Amino acid sequence: MKKRPTVCVIGIWHLGAVNAAGFAEKGYRVVGLELDPGKARRLQRGVAPLFEPGLEEMTRKHLKTGRLSFSADAEVAKEADYVVIAYDSPVNDRDEVDIAPVVDAARLVAPFLRPETPLVVTSQVPLGSCEQIQEESRRLNPTWRSGVVYTPENLRLGSAIARFLEPDMLVLGASHPGAARAAEALYRPFRTEKLPMDLRSAEMVKHALNAFLATSITFINEIANLSDRLGADAVAVGRALKHDKRIGKSALMMPGLGFSGGTLARDVTELRKFAGELGYRAKLLDAIVDVNEGTFDEVILRLQKKLGTLSGKKVGVLGLTYKPGTSTVRRSPALKIMDKLRAAGADCAGYDPKASAEELAEYREVFSRAKSVRELAKQADALVLVTEWPEFRTIPFASIAKLMRRPLLVDSKNFLDPAAMAAAGLDYQGFGRSGPQLGKAA
């Protein structure tokens, strides 16, 4: 029987855990390298590092099939036909990416790489990083004849498994012919268009994709700000735009809260940084940052318009995670909004059905966590919906409104039906929706 090729995946959190389980699902033998022995043991028991729909089930499935295992020993890279670095690159409060985990991982495994084993980087890295990693790896292992491959991840929290197994495309960046051929072989089971290119172009693809998505969000929110002031319904406008084939139904044209979490912001930040170093003024990128940050201030302005001063007011936040379908709260929009609320003197509480208790522990001084929506609403002056959990649509809002000191609801994502909220007795405030609202939220 022909031996299954072995993939070693380094960095087992969201990106790495999805890669490890996903490659096993595609038929590879996979070893996930987690340097913390305790975490490696938990992974070997089938405990996923965070909530992602389908991740724990797929992990346990392939632990049983024998295609997937986890280790804390870097020497497992010796047996690998492919080594994939899949750290979730941390981003600081200024949206600057820290590639130290990626560089350190490359240094760690470089001495163990077989001559023809490619080093595949799928983590978020600034343009030019992969060339530096390749040069350093060659210095540490002179017998290594392959090269670095950059294939930028395009996963989304909440739908990562499906996007990994059936990506829209695969960008395969390599500046070494052998590495390019190896990348094509690694991703052969993935039935999608593969786009080969050099390393720098592949890195720029990731920057450009996220900057374009950030531009789309910023554009519709600028339209929403104007709509609020001119009496139009920006949700209806956005719905119409998506029906134009030049824009497309998958376009990000729902007005609401801006992007956060570092995913889109870090690429805009990187491109602005490059522009500054080159002496080029990137006016569009500067405007994206200004408009995007303004959407968070709009939440505070809506509350102040209705409540006056927020000092001493109790504001409950519905949804704490970065987005629905995940348990992570790292740099979530809810945290940013609560920082602004606290600065305005408000007393904050939050509720979320899936938020990680471990991650929330560090914010216990910032806000209190309610055990239910009813507890959150009791004597609240306002509720702010931030994360679009599907179950929030089934909240009995009529009874919730009666628990509140003032039945004010700010829907920062235009997620709920304004007419239904009004019928429930709530003073509903959406984004860009000051005009007549004849239809339901998209």
Side-chain angles (χ1 to χ4, degrees):
M1 176 185 283
K2 186 177 179 181
K3 181 184 174 185
R4 294 179 188 274
T6 299
V7 179
C8 176
V9 178
I10 309 171
I12 310 297
W13 196 64
H14 185 257
L15 178 58
V18 170
N19 269 261
F23 276 121
E25 182 74 6
K26 288 293 185 180
Y28 289 100
R29 178 179 177 270
V30 180
V31 180
L33 178 57
E34 168 51 68
L35 298 176
D36 184 316
K39 291 180 180 178
R41 286 192 293 271
R42 286 196 293 275
L43 288 163
Q44 190 61 36
R45 294 197 302 268
V47 180
L50 78 169
F51 174 73
E52 171 67 43
L55 176 58
E56 193 154 275
E57 293 81 358
M58 189 175 290
T59 299
R60 291 180 175 179
K61 170 185 173 181
H62 291 299
L63 286 169
K64 289 181 179 178
T65 64
R67 292 187 203 164
L68 179 60
S69 63
F70 295 93
S71 174
D73 185 355
E75 288 198 28
V76 297
K78 284 182 177 179
E79 305 302 319
D81 299 290
Y82 308 93
V83 173
V84 178
I85 299 178
Y87 276 101
D88 294 88
S89 301
V91 180
N92 64 20
D93 291 338
R94 297 184 299 279
D95 295 315
E96 297 167 337
V97 64
D98 177 11
I99 66 167
V102 179
V103 174
D104 290 344
R107 287 173 178 159
L108 178 68
V109 300
F112 304 122
L113 293 174
R114 301 201 308 237
E116 305 304 326
T117 297
L119 191 58
V120 181
V121 176
T122 189
S123 305
Q124 175 73 29
V125 295
L127 193 145
S129 302
C130 286
E131 291 173 351
Q132 297 172 17
I133 291 170
Q134 182 168 274
E135 183 179 341
E136 176 74 356
S137 298
R138 291 196 193 288
R139 185 186 67 79
L140 293 170
N141 185 350
T143 68
W144 183 53
R145 295 192 297 270
S146 189
V148 169
V149 174
Y150 186 58
T151 177
E153 60 88 9
N154 198 25
L155 306 184
R156 293 178 190 164
L157 289 164
S159 59
I161 294 290
R163 288 188 64 81
F164 179 86
L165 296 176
E166 298 182 10
D168 294 337
M169 64 174 176
L170 282 167
V171 172
L172 304 179
S175 298
H176 181 275
R181 289 191 297 270
E184 176 62 34
L186 173 62
Y187 288 100
R188 191 167 291 135
F190 295 77
R191 298 188 179 280
T192 189
E193 187 170 5
K194 285 112 178 166
L195 305 176
M197 60 188 71
D198 62 274
L199 281 172
R200 287 203 168 205
S201 295
E203 291 167 331
M204 182 56 90
V205 166
K206 183 59 177 176
H207 291 322
L209 274 172
N210 279 344
F212 181 83
L213 295 175
T215 304
S216 298
I217 294 169
T218 305
F219 168 77
I220 194 61
N221 280 334
E222 192 79 295
I223 296 298
N225 289 338
L226 288 169
S227 295
D228 266 331
R229 291 157 176 80
L230 294 171
D233 182 356
V235 172
V237 173
R239 190 181 300 124
L241 292 177
K242 290 172 71 152
H243 278 78
D244 189 311
K245 291 181 180 179
R246 293 169 297 178
I247 295 174
K249 292 189 177 181
S250 61
L252 298 176
M253 287 293 159
M254 172 58 73
L257 200 61
F259 54 84
S260 65
T263 302
L264 302 185
R266 66 187 171 196
D267 286 285
V268 173
T269 299
E270 283 299 325
L271 290 175
R272 292 177 78 205
K273 177 183 174 183
F274 290 136
E277 292 171 350
L278 295 167
Y280 172 73
R281 185 183 172 194
K283 298 177 184 178
L284 176 61
L285 298 176
D286 292 341
I288 288 171
V289 173
D290 289 342
V291 175
N292 187 70
E293 288 303 303
T295 64
F296 293 89
D297 294 325
E298 286 289 318
V299 173
I300 308 304
L301 291 173
R302 278 164 172 71
L303 291 170
Q304 290 174 332
K305 185 176 180 180
K306 292 288 184 175
L307 302 176
T309 178
L310 298 185
S311 180
K313 300 293 194 305
K314 179 183 175 183
V315 180
V317 175
L318 277 167
L320 301 171
T321 56
Y322 171 58
K323 65 184 297 184
T326 182
S327 60
T328 185
V329 299
R330 183 180 60 173
R331 303 206 58 217
S332 72
L335 296 178
K336 187 180 240 183
I337 287 173
M338 283 193 277
D339 280 343
K340 291 181 179 291
L341 286 169
R342 290 179 71 237
D347 178 22
C348 296
Y351 169 76
D352 191 283
K354 290 286 186 183
S356 166
E358 182 180 353
E359 289 187 41
L360 286 176
E362 63 180 286
Y363 302 105
R364 61 169 60 96
E365 302 300 324
V366 177
F367 66 93
S368 59
R369 185 179 186 183
K371 295 178 181 178
S372 66
V373 178
R374 290 182 63 84
E375 180 182 324
L376 184 73
K378 192 173 182 180
Q379 292 301 299
D381 294 286
L383 296 178
V384 179
L385 188 147
V386 181
T387 312
E388 316 99 296
W389 285 103
E391 49 262 57
F392 286 170
R393 282 197 167 120
T394 63
I395 291 172
F397 282 105
S399 60
I400 291 299
K402 294 175 182 177
L403 296 172
M404 299 174 67
R405 184 179 292 122
R406 173 159 184 169
L408 173 62
L409 173 63
V410 175
D411 182 358
S412 75
K413 296 297 182 71
N414 288 321
F415 182 63
L416 303 171
D417 176 13
M421 295 303 101
L426 285 160
D427 182 356
Y428 176 86
Q429 298 292 308
F431 265 59
R433 313 197 78 180
S434 66
Q437 294 148 11
L438 304 178
K440 293 185 178 182

